[in-house]
Amino acid sequence: MNVGAHVSIAGGVDNAIENQVEVGGNCGQIFTHSPQVWQDPNVGDEEAAAFRDGSATEDLGPWVIHSSYLVNLCTPKNDLRKKSIDSMQKEVDAAAKLDIPYVNVHLGAHTGAGVDAGLDNAASALDELEIPEGVTVLVESDAGSGTKLGGDFEHLAAVLDRSAQDLDVCLDTAHAFAAGYDLSSAEAVEETVAEFDDVVGLEHLECIHLNDSKHDCGTNKDEHAHVGEGRIGEEGMETIVNHPDLDDVPLVLETPHEDGKGFAWNVERVRELRE
């Protein structure tokens, strides 16, 4: 079972190895820099080698790089589009250097351009990337507030269809739930997984951000809760963790640090739920 957390790289990207081992994870996700600013990954050769060697020694993987929060692939604004493409290019290059197979990105917001134009913008922006061999960009599902795209499975499918790149998907359970896809019962999980398969295709699902939600289904509110302790709840989480169609998909936690519980508690909770 591949389950891990989004861990810090403070002090060097290779420190993610020890941080992941400490929380009991065997796969995981990182930012290559602060996600709140435009900044290059700037990963040195020595720390990249230490990261690769550490991952192999500890048998960790797959890893995912999460792109900057500032990236907006759907934007109609040329300057922001250029910055977003440049940032993504640096992330996929960093992924290749670190032997990380995935770079995860939110589609962003169309900011008034309209859904179709936003999806076209996202696909064409992704098409400008020179993605190294062995690296795949994952388009992440969104909570769907405002003009943000990716809340509907149809948005994800449209970008995969319109782009010439070989793209796949990261499904965030809290985001999908907030966007209106119920996951709070065994029956609901079955229906949502079947809908995802019908619209996007399970063959494109390469990562799951396994997060519970502090808010109800369909509220478009993105606030994560501990596994089994939010509105998705234990039954939903247990069904996801044990679903035969999701069995080989890596689970990455972005759960909160509160109530005396952190990543280690949530990783162990997922393992307890696995039958």
Side-chain angles (χ1 to χ4, degrees), residues 44-274:
D45 291 343
E46 287 188 9
E47 61 178 300
F51 178 89
R52 296 192 303 267
D53 292 345
S55 290
T57 299
E58 299 292 345
D59 196 22
L60 300 179
W63 286 95
V64 181
I65 289 176
H66 195 301
S67 64
S68 169
Y69 291 144
L70 300 182
V71 168
N72 186 348
L73 301 175
C74 294
T75 183
K77 300 176 182 177
N78 287 331
D79 57 340
L80 179 54
R81 175 185 171 87
K82 185 176 182 300
K83 285 182 177 181
S84 298
I85 293 169
D86 181 63
S87 178
M88 283 297 295
Q89 185 63 57
K90 289 181 169 65
E91 298 288 18
V92 295
D93 289 342
K97 187 172 187 177
L98 294 165
D99 280 349
I100 290 178
Y102 303 117
V103 174
N104 184 71
V105 65
H106 296 270
L107 291 177
H110 66 71
T111 62
V115 172
D116 265 347
L119 295 172
D120 281 341
N121 289 342
S124 62
L126 290 165
D127 283 349
E128 293 198 29
L129 300 178
E130 294 183 12
I131 302 175
E133 186 178 353
V135 177
T136 300
V137 172
L138 304 182
V139 180
E140 182 179 343
S141 62
D142 198 88
S145 61
T147 65
K148 289 182 180 179
L149 300 181
D152 294 347
F153 291 163
E154 285 79 7
H155 296 167
L156 306 176
V159 172
L160 266 60
D161 183 59
R162 297 178 194 190
S163 173
Q165 302 280 17
D166 186 13
L167 306 172
D168 285 313
V169 170
C170 172
L171 180 68
D172 186 305
T173 54
H175 294 172
F177 189 70
Y181 296 96
D182 193 5
L183 294 164
S184 62
S185 68
E187 183 181 4
V189 170
E190 291 292 345
E191 290 177 359
T192 293
V193 170
E195 184 169 357
F196 181 92
D197 190 28
D198 183 56
V199 176
V200 182
L202 283 166
E203 67 275 13
H204 289 295
L205 182 60
E206 291 294 328
C207 181
I208 292 174
H209 284 171
L210 190 70
N211 303 303
D212 212 323
S213 173
K214 290 187 177 181
H215 302 283
D216 290 333
C217 184
T219 58
N220 302 120
K221 293 181 179 180
D222 177 16
E223 195 173 2
H224 299 175
H226 295 303
V227 171
E229 297 198 348
R231 297 296 187 174
I232 294 176
E234 184 173 317
E235 182 182 339
M237 282 287 160
E238 184 174 15
T239 306
I240 294 166
V241 168
N242 290 287
H243 198 289
D245 290 339
L246 310 178
D247 191 51
D248 295 327
V249 182
L251 307 174
V252 175
L253 303 171
E254 299 171 322
T255 44
H257 294 265
E258 59 189 19
D259 305 323
K261 301 168 184 174
F263 285 144
W265 185 92
N266 283 278
V267 168
E268 180 60 26
R269 184 75 179 112
V270 172
R271 291 205 167 101
E272 289 171 355
L273 292 174
R274 184 67 171 252

Side-chain angles (χ1 to χ4, degrees), residues 20-60:
Q20 194 65 250
V21 171
E22 282 185 357
V23 301
N26 58 12
C27 66
Q29 181 175 268
I30 59 171
F31 291 122
T32 59
H33 56 84
S34 169
Q36 316 282 358
V37 296
W38 295 113
Q39 185 177 337
D40 292 349
N42 193 28
V43 178
D45 291 343
E46 287 188 9
E47 61 178 300
F51 178 89
R52 296 192 303 267
D53 292 345
S55 290
T57 299
E58 299 292 345
D59 196 22
L60 300 179

